[in-house]
Amino acid sequence: MTTQTTLPSGHGALQYRPDIDGLRAIAVLAVVLFHAFPVWLKGGFVGVDIFFVISGFLISGILIKEAQTGRFSILTFYQRRVRRIFPALILVLLFCSVLAWFILLPGEYQQLGKHVLSGVGFVANLALWAESGYFDTAAEAKPLLHLWSLGVEEQFYIVWPWLIALCWRSRLRLWLALLSVAVLSLLACLWWTPRDATAAFYAPYTRFWELLAGSALAYWAVLRAQSGRAAPPPTWLANSLSFAGLALMAASCLWLDKSQPFPGWRAALPVLGAVLVVAAGQASWLNRYVLSNRLMVGIGLISFPLYLWHWPLLAFAHVLSNGTPDRLARALAVAVAILLAWVTYELLEKPVRYRYKGAAPIWILLALSVVLAAWGGAGMLGWVSPRHVNPDLQRVLEASRDWDYPGVMATQMVQGHPVRRDAAGARVTLLVGDSHVEQYAPRVAALRRLAPERLNTTLWSTIGGCPPIESVVDSTGGFCSSAWRAAQAVLASQPVDAVVVGGCWNCYFVPPVKAEAARQRFVLAANGQRLALDGQAGRHAALASLQAQLQALARRHRVYLLLDNPQDMQLEPARYIEGSRWSALHLRPVSDVSIVLPPAVLALREQLREVAARAGVTVIDPLPALCQDGRCPIASAAGELIYKDNNHLRASYVRSQASFLDTALLAPR
């Protein structure tokens, strides 16, 4: 992604590999097509993994060759990195900061400021990892989301050159250090992905093995050259390697999709494919005539600025369209990105890298980075405000941020899962579920003031977006079952008076809101079966499993089944913002807006009531407090928004109005 296309030769020079530029073209086109037209290339995100291999091969080859010839310099290496990365990166960050001032809302602008700051500091992956979660902003609305890969790459190059220098100067075996780090990184990747795919995706230590795969290939090439065995492989072998590598990369792009746990073992497919293509060399027909043709090489040369430009343009188009832009707009964004990439490469990147020598250009780039980082920090802290600041929009911003869980709670790890503790009463109430249970934490805080002498000790064993049904598993490799395992351990280890089981039942069983993704994600796994929750058989089996679960709890505890609150796209506060992002925005009246629950939701509610009745547990229903005469308003009569988003109640409402939950939280009089 950020490499120069050379490799070490056997005579101390650096030999150009046009086929590697062609491979970079494949990688960047895969990513661009995936982002612009995901239906066409569902696994195109593996282009980043191909980039990692190329980067490790080229840069490690240069470093190892320099160390071998006594010309190795850490300072020179980082000067090259600055010249290579900073020109295009600074230009794209500056463009995003300026455009964002015109079109982003205050909260969006603040988030972009944080991303500018983390992008300049090459820690975007860590920042995005920290903010990932159930309430994270949609990826399509983050103009700098793609900088996560640059963060991983540069974090690798903070460590790797020093390790090479250490091994060379202390005469340690570099191959042993390389192999050790690569194996540890791969094991971390394989272990973390099924447990927390988000962490495995963004963490640098779960990705280093991909760069080291290229590094190992470079080290092998240097050793062959050193021993005088640098001749290319036989034509038949080179062709076999190249065809197999391209087949693996093509299969990855076509077979993988974002619903599958990644990276994990699946990342080995594009990584191995890239390694095979690079190892084939110019002796391969595909490398010599397909990857090395002028068009592929030209795209490869602009691959870094193209990668930087394409995503912000698509993301801003998404923001302006208030959703996925149409196909023509996405195609136009890609065309503009290609044009801007070429201009950036010709007029900025090439002069800085090859024409202007000495330290002055580097100091200028570093100074610009400091200014840009200061600008990003100011945006993050709210010192610099976007144009769209008015009381109406502030109401929407306040509603979207009105969330108090987990707040300040003591946490203990139970079965590897955090169980949070709130209040300190003589009795204990355990709440199990997802974010639709977590949303009631502000009510506990309110009762701490209103009825402290009656408030139970409250324990929370929850995971956002995970159904609290023991036999339902996350097909994407998440660890949803850990909350239920932790709850069982709590029940076995201490007296618990009441247990509340709740969740976003509508999300898992009926279509509205985020249900499509949720239903495809979860399956029932019992008696050797794997049934999707959107099918009648899966739904029936899941509810039967929930009933058995509640019955078992009811033998020893007072148990409550918490029904769901209304949810609908019409509840989203931001939907009521009108006007143009280019000029002025305002919030239209909301006090008279309400929704009617669809028949499928009403039918599910009745089924859950039947489950509770058969299990012998008590139902807690928030609907009477939220709806009147079959209609559910989105705001109070005074115009105060009730919902944080399209399916969660805001904390201020819960704090004062969610008294329906008090029966499970307070000791009897």
Side-chain angles (χ1 to χ4, degrees):
M1 193 184 313
T2 59
T3 53
Q4 52 193 44
T5 315
T6 53
L7 84 163
S9 73
H11 305 287
L14 291 174
Q15 177 187 353
Y16 175 63
R17 285 275 302 266
D19 59 309
I20 292 184
D21 270 329
L23 185 59
R24 291 166 68 188
I26 289 177
V28 75
L29 289 176
V31 174
V32 171
L33 286 175
F34 166 70
H35 286 154
F37 308 103
V39 175
W40 297 357
L41 204 66
K42 295 181 179 180
F45 53 84
V46 302
V48 173
D49 305 273
I50 298 170
F51 272 131
F52 284 158
V53 174
I54 297 171
S55 175
F57 175 73
L58 295 176
I59 293 180
S60 296
I62 294 170
L63 291 173
I64 295 170
K65 190 66 178 179
E66 288 179 345
Q68 185 186 53
T69 57
R71 295 182 291 111
F72 183 86
S73 168
I74 293 289
L75 179 60
T76 301
F77 169 74
Y78 288 123
Q79 285 180 339
R80 287 198 301 261
R81 296 303 290 166
V82 169
R83 289 181 183 276
R84 178 69 175 99
I85 295 169
F86 278 42
L89 178 62
I90 289 174
L91 180 61
V92 170
L93 291 177
L94 183 62
F95 165 82
C96 290
S97 297
V98 173
L99 184 59
W101 188 83
F102 286 94
I103 66 174
L104 294 188
L105 300 178
E108 298 167 342
Y109 191 81
Q110 187 180 48
Q111 184 181 65
L112 183 94
K114 182 176 73 172
H115 292 170
V116 169
L117 190 62
S118 62
V120 171
F122 299 107
V123 290
N125 59 317
L126 304 180
L128 291 163
W129 180 10
E131 70 186 27
S132 65
Y134 194 72
F135 296 112
D136 191 15
T137 305
E140 295 81 4
K142 293 182 177 181
L144 298 177
L145 177 79
H146 62 323
L147 296 187
W148 74 267
S149 61
L150 193 58
V152 169
E153 191 176 2
E154 295 315 305
Q155 287 153 29
F156 174 76
Y157 290 120
I158 290 174
V159 178
W160 182 232
W162 293 96
L163 186 57
I164 291 177
L166 175 65
C167 290
W168 227 268
R169 290 173 184 174
S170 61
R171 301 195 178 278
L172 297 174
R173 295 183 182 275
L174 180 61
W175 68 266
L176 184 60
L178 189 157
L179 182 63
S180 300
V181 177
V183 169
L184 289 174
S185 173
L186 177 58
L187 290 175
C189 179
L190 295 174
W191 191 86
W192 269 113
T193 300
R195 291 164 176 79
D196 189 346
T198 300
F201 188 89
Y202 286 122
Y205 51 80
T206 57
R207 294 286 194 160
F208 282 179
W209 67 275
E210 300 182 30
L211 290 121
L212 288 169
S215 301
L217 192 59
Y219 186 52
W220 175 75
V222 169
L223 290 181
R224 281 174 54 84
Q226 187 179 23
S227 64
R229 300 194 303 270
T235 302
W236 69 268
L237 179 58
N239 285 331
S240 299
L241 293 174
S242 184
F243 274 98
L246 286 172
L248 282 172
M249 291 187 291
S252 303
C253 290
L254 297 172
W255 173 61
L256 298 178
D257 62 64
K258 62 183 181 180
S259 70
Q260 299 168 329
F262 196 87
W265 64 267
R266 293 174 176 84
L269 301 178
V271 168
L272 179 58
V275 167
L276 293 176
V277 170
V278 174
Q282 292 289 88
S284 161
W285 181 88
L286 279 173
N287 290 39
R288 190 166 64 252
Y289 294 109
V290 177
L291 296 182
S292 298
N293 76 71
R294 293 184 62 183
L295 177 61
M296 295 293 285
V297 170
I299 296 173
L301 289 173
I302 66 169
S303 60
F304 179 54
L306 177 55
Y307 180 81
L308 290 181
W309 277 115
H310 86 282
W311 180 252
L313 294 176
L314 289 169
F316 280 120
H318 179 92
V319 170
L320 289 170
S321 303
N322 197 27
T324 303
D326 61 38
R327 187 175 298 175
L328 178 60
R330 285 176 280 153
L332 181 61
V334 171
V336 172
I338 294 173
L339 176 62
L340 289 174
W342 180 81
V343 171
T344 302
Y345 176 74
E346 291 292 336
L347 302 185
L348 183 62
E349 184 178 318
K350 284 173 65 176
V352 171
R353 287 178 64 191
Y354 305 119
R355 191 178 307 165
Y356 303 121
K357 300 299 183 182
I362 294 176
W363 285 112
I364 292 172
L365 290 171
L366 290 174
L368 287 173
S369 299
V370 171
V371 171
L372 197 61
W375 178 268
M380 181 182 70
L381 296 173
W383 296 340
V384 180
S385 297
R387 295 171 59 199
H388 303 299
V389 179
N390 61 53
D392 281 346
L393 298 183
Q394 193 64 28
R395 289 168 57 199
V396 173
L397 181 63
E398 289 173 357
S400 66
R401 292 177 173 176
D402 198 2
W403 182 259
D404 277 357
Y405 186 88
V408 181
M409 298 184 186
T411 303
Q412 67 180 105
M413 298 301 294
V414 179
Q415 296 285 317
H417 178 76
V419 174
R420 307 188 186 277
R421 177 181 296 269
D422 197 8
R427 297 169 179 262
V428 176
T429 296
L430 172 65
L431 295 101
V432 186
D434 55 19
S435 62
H436 282 228
V437 171
E438 295 174 353
Q439 69 185 344
Y440 293 110
R443 184 60 186 174
V444 177
L447 291 175
R448 206 183 297 127
R449 297 188 306 272
L450 298 173
E453 72 286 349
R454 296 179 55 208
L455 181 59
N456 295 348
T457 296
T458 310
L459 303 178
W460 309 76
S461 184
T462 60
I463 299 182
C466 290
I469 303 176
E470 186 177 13
S471 58
V472 172
V473 297
D474 185 349
S475 61
T476 65
F479 52 103
C480 282
S481 59
S482 64
W484 181 247
R485 289 198 306 269
Q488 288 179 310
V490 168
L491 293 171
S493 64
Q494 62 181 287
V496 174
D497 180 64
V499 180
V500 178
V501 178
C504 184
W505 308 114
N506 298 322
C507 296
Y508 311 124
F509 294 114
V510 293
V513 196
K514 300 178 181 178
E516 284 302 322
R519 292 183 332 190
Q520 294 169 12
R521 174 180 166 192
F522 296 106
V523 294
L524 184 87
N527 301 323
Q529 294 179 305
R530 292 182 69 85
L531 302 172
L533 300 190
D534 57 344
Q536 185 175 357
R539 178 172 173 174
H540 177 77
L543 291 177
S545 178
L546 175 62
Q547 179 180 323
Q549 189 175 315
L550 295 174
Q551 281 176 324
L553 289 173
R555 295 190 188 104
R556 298 180 55 192
H557 310 280
R558 186 159 43 97
V559 180
Y560 299 90
L561 177 62
L562 177 62
L563 301 187
D564 207 1
N565 54 271
Q567 54 185 285
D568 191 277
M569 294 303 295
Q570 299 299 320
L571 299 175
E572 175 71 59
R575 289 182 65 91
Y576 300 93
I577 296 175
E578 293 183 335
S580 170
R581 284 179 177 258
W582 292 108
S583 55
L585 295 171
H586 64 275
L587 183 68
R588 64 185 173 92
V590 294
S591 56
D592 294 330
V593 180
S594 61
I595 65 165
V596 177
L597 297 181
V601 171
L602 296 174
L604 175 62
R605 287 172 49 79
E606 290 307 311
Q607 285 182 296
L608 288 168
R609 284 186 173 277
E610 292 171 6
V611 165
R614 289 193 292 265
V617 304
T618 304
V619 169
I620 297 177
D621 189 356
L623 215 60
L626 293 165
C627 306
Q628 297 84 38
D629 301 323
R631 304 195 69 86
C632 307
I634 73 160
S636 68
E640 287 298 317
L641 294 163
I642 296 174
Y643 293 87
K644 172 190 183 296
D645 49 32
N646 55 32
N647 68 110
H648 293 91
L649 298 168
R650 60 184 298 187
S652 58
Y653 176 87
V654 169
R655 199 173 288 116
S656 60
Q657 301 298 323
S659 57
F660 47 82
L661 196 65
D662 292 358
T663 183
L665 300 175
L666 298 177
R669 291 187 182 276

